[in-house]
Amino acid sequence: MKRYELIVIGAGPAGLSAAIEGAKAGMHVIVFDENARPGGQLFKQIHKFFGSKEHKAKIRGFRIGQMLLKEAEEVGVTVCLNATVLGIFPEKRVTVRYADHIEQYSGDNIIVATGAAENMILFDGWTKPGVIGAGAAQTMMNLHGVQPGQKILMVGSGNVGLVVSYQLLQAGCEVVALIDAAPRVGGYGVHAAKVARYGVPFYLRHTIVRAEGKDQVEGAVIAEVDSKFQPIPGTEKHLDIDTICLAVGLSPMSQVLRMSGCEIEDTPGGLVPKTSEYGETTIPGLFAAGDVAGIEEASSAMIGGRIAGLAAAHRAGYLPEDSFKQQAQAARDSLSQLRQGMFAKENRGRTDLTETEEGYALSKNLLAKGYVEEEELKAFPAANASVHGVHPVIECTQNIPCNPCQDACKFGCILVGRQITNIPVVDRDRKCTGCGMCVASCSGQAIFLVNDDFEEGRSTVTLAYEFLPYPEKGQTGTAMDRSGKPVCEAEVISLRKSPATDGTALLTIAVPKEFSMKARAFRPNGGDK
């Protein structure tokens, strides 16, 4: 039986982060993962992360995966793929099944980072071909380059549903509608706004009644729900679609932990192990990190993995008490930043929040339809045009943990402050150079550069553009407002892209001056997207 000082189960963001910390401290570390490639969900994630620089904000998920794998290799972590852990047995013995044999391992410390599985909902026709999970859609698009379908119904308005809806649009699919039984959009408003400005309608307080079609999905019927989330007769609507994509939450994959004998808690988020502040379960030396310990964002999972890895190294005698406490506290402080603001754990499910931490009224339209009305934006100083020349307009209206815009502006035009959930403000006394780095760095694509002094009768709007093929200078198209409604013709003035913007093109369009504060998306003539 092979013995390791640290065995990590799961090569996702939490598991790799834990393994790296253990190996950096000097431990002999091995990681098991049942998949053919490491990285977990990271390699499906082509969007940019939120948070601050230390949380790897404005970096795309698959690039973070590449960074973690490189670091793990550099510090000597052994990663075994196509290796399914069958169980954790007394004395920390781990049984692993490979393709043609089974092996036993012994671990002084074990960190379980098995992640989570997609939830499903039951409705008439839910087993038909064409009903898939959002994670499956991401796998098809972002790993295999395959469209999941042509006309999609997205069920779920949390961050997963919103992010995948946008990626479906990027893949050339039509998102016919986005529905949710909840009374308000569940994910970040900036994610919803990215989807809404390309014309996707939101149906809140709606559920799916049935999938139509004989051998595959050929349509769907949705209906409004009452206060008990039951369909209201007479409110049914038919949607012409070929794919139903479900983004209705995740459940921790805690099976291995449950069979280990550690204490398990039944929480609203699923069955999770009872752990200490460092992720240690009720079995000494057995830790849990990432979504298996409670569903959060990948950034939080990585920090949770780091903390567990540090704790394992300390328990094994590789980290002195003072060094461990210092590093663990720094990681916990970093994690605390991500757990603040409107989307903090204690605010999940709340429907009584009416204003931001600064006292701005929350956009009712954003929560109900996915976009902020122009009139509502007037309450937010950074979202108003009040100066001559080029200047940033920031349509970020919720307390989200994110501050890349502040770091991107080298001239101090944009301020967030030390608390990264603060809503950004613009210092009108600082001159904007129009470099556009704030636009490219905004993970939520909520920043626009407006120049009302472009020329007589016309203004320019610079926005983030992530659709292929890129439009060319001089090309014309349609500018859409925040709801996706066409508002005017637009001309491409320039399109800038460079390694510094990591695939986010800076598209500058010219529009009639009266539409500079309305034009928020662009569709080239002759193109669907």
Side-chain angles (χ1 to χ4, degrees):
M1 183 184 299
K2 297 179 182 178
R3 174 183 168 274
Y4 286 87
E5 293 173 308
L6 176 59
I7 293 175
V8 179
I9 304 173
L16 289 175
S17 298
I20 289 167
E21 290 300 328
K24 282 167 58 178
M27 301 181 80
H28 189 202
V29 183
I30 189 169
V31 180
F32 298 113
D33 196 286
E34 65 182 358
N35 296 296
R37 62 182 298 178
Q41 302 300 310
L42 287 173
F43 284 94
K44 302 178 183 181
Q45 298 175 343
I46 62 173
H47 57 282
K48 295 180 178 180
F49 276 35
F50 287 74
S52 65
K53 187 175 182 179
E54 65 178 300
H55 304 119
K56 296 180 171 57
K58 78 173 184 179
I59 301 177
R60 300 185 189 278
F62 72 93
R63 298 204 187 281
I64 295 173
Q66 293 169 348
M67 293 163 60
L68 287 176
L69 289 176
K70 181 180 178 181
E71 190 174 1
E73 182 180 0
E74 289 173 346
V75 297
V77 173
T78 299
V79 178
C80 294
L81 301 175
N82 296 308
T84 302
V85 172
L86 300 179
I88 300 173
F89 299 94
E91 300 179 359
K92 300 190 188 71
R93 290 183 294 110
V94 176
T95 301
V96 181
R97 184 185 66 199
Y98 296 93
D100 57 356
H101 68 287
I102 291 176
E103 289 194 20
Q104 297 273 349
Y105 298 85
S106 174
D108 296 339
N109 296 273
I110 300 174
I111 297 176
V112 178
T114 44
E118 290 189 283
N119 294 336
M120 302 297 285
I121 54 175
L122 305 184
F123 52 89
D124 187 12
W126 75 282
T127 60
K128 292 182 186 295
V131 180
I132 62 174
Q138 277 192 311
T139 299
M140 295 172 71
M141 293 185 293
N142 303 337
L143 294 183
H144 303 299
V146 176
Q147 288 181 326
Q150 292 295 316
K151 305 179 76 171
I152 319 291
L153 168 63
M154 177 62 70
V155 182
S157 70
N159 279 336
V160 172
L162 298 173
V163 167
V164 175
S165 290
Y166 186 73
Q167 291 174 5
L168 286 163
L169 295 174
Q170 289 177 296
C173 306
E174 178 187 355
V175 181
V176 174
L178 190 152
I179 70 171
D180 199 311
R184 56 168 62 186
V185 172
Y188 293 170
V190 290
H191 280 323
K194 288 193 302 182
V195 176
R197 68 176 68 118
Y198 281 94
V200 177
F202 284 62
Y203 292 97
L204 282 300
R205 299 182 188 275
H206 277 73
T207 191
I208 182 166
V209 177
R210 66 178 177 273
E212 298 184 321
K214 182 179 179 181
D215 299 318
Q216 63 189 47
V217 174
E218 296 176 353
V221 174
I222 64 173
E224 293 181 41
V225 297
D226 58 24
S227 59
K228 296 182 179 179
F229 300 104
Q230 297 302 307
I232 300 174
T235 65
E236 295 84 0
K237 301 179 184 68
H238 171 81
L239 299 177
D240 182 17
I241 57 155
D242 57 34
T243 305
I244 298 169
C245 192
L246 302 177
V248 290
L250 303 168
S251 293
M253 295 181 66
S254 57
Q255 295 92 330
V256 170
L257 283 164
R258 280 181 278 171
M259 72 172 297
S260 74
C262 70
E263 188 174 339
I264 299 293
E265 297 179 306
D266 190 356
T267 72
L271 296 171
V272 298
K274 183 177 181 180
T275 60
S276 72
E277 59 186 324
Y278 303 118
E280 191 168 20
T281 71
T282 52
I283 296 177
L286 177 62
F287 299 81
D291 281 349
V292 73
I295 306 299
E296 292 189 88
E297 300 293 330
S299 299
S300 300
M302 287 187 284
I303 299 175
R306 286 176 51 203
I307 293 172
L310 290 168
H314 172 60
R315 184 176 183 275
Y318 284 93
L319 276 181
E321 182 77 12
D322 290 346
S323 178
F324 164 62
K325 288 290 180 65
Q326 183 179 4
Q327 293 184 62
Q329 187 58 51
R332 291 175 63 195
D333 290 343
S334 179
L335 184 58
S336 176
Q337 285 190 304
L338 295 175
R339 289 174 169 173
Q340 296 182 34
M342 292 174 51
F343 293 88
K345 185 176 181 180
E346 60 269 21
N347 290 330
R348 290 179 185 172
R350 289 185 61 180
T351 58
D352 60 336
L353 294 175
T354 59
E355 61 182 33
T356 70
E357 294 172 355
E358 297 83 358
Y360 301 123
L362 288 179
S363 166
K364 294 181 180 179
N365 205 72
L366 176 66
L367 297 174
K369 298 180 181 179
Y371 63 93
V372 186
E373 288 278 13
E374 188 174 350
E375 191 65 29
E376 294 174 310
L377 284 169
K378 293 179 179 179
F380 296 84
N384 287 298
S386 59
V387 295
H388 291 291
V390 63
H391 57 277
V393 173
I394 305 179
E395 300 186 359
C396 179
T397 63
Q398 295 176 322
N399 297 116
I400 296 170
C402 198
N403 72 354
C405 55
Q406 177 176 262
D407 293 340
C409 185
K410 305 305 180 184
F411 301 95
C413 295
I414 300 174
L415 305 172
V416 175
R418 297 186 63 182
Q419 178 56 47
I420 65 173
T421 56
N422 291 341
I423 290 177
V425 297
V426 174
D427 187 344
R428 300 299 185 188
D429 294 330
R430 302 292 183 100
K431 182 173 176 57
C432 174
T433 65
C435 70
M437 290 310 296
C438 59
V439 178
S441 298
C442 179
S443 303
Q445 297 185 16
I447 302 180
F448 308 85
L449 293 182
V450 174
N451 183 3
D452 285 325
D453 296 337
F454 172 61
E455 64 182 30
E456 184 69 27
R458 290 207 302 174
S459 301
T460 60
V461 179
T462 299
L463 49 88
Y465 194 83
E466 293 187 344
F467 294 94
L468 295 176
Y470 289 130
E472 299 178 354
K473 181 179 179 179
Q475 188 172 353
T476 60
T478 302
M480 286 91 72
D481 66 11
R482 297 171 185 88
S483 71
K485 177 183 176 182
V487 291
C488 64
E489 185 176 87
E491 177 189 353
V492 176
I493 301 301
S494 67
L495 186 136
R496 293 176 283 163
K497 53 185 185 293
S498 73
T501 64
D502 192 18
T504 299
L506 298 176
L507 176 66
T508 299
I509 56 175
V511 297
K513 187 165 292 188
E514 63 267 29
F515 295 114
S516 67
M517 291 301 291
K518 297 181 184 296
R520 290 298 177 262
F522 176 76
R523 180 170 289 130
N525 285 338
D528 294 331
K529 297 289 182 291

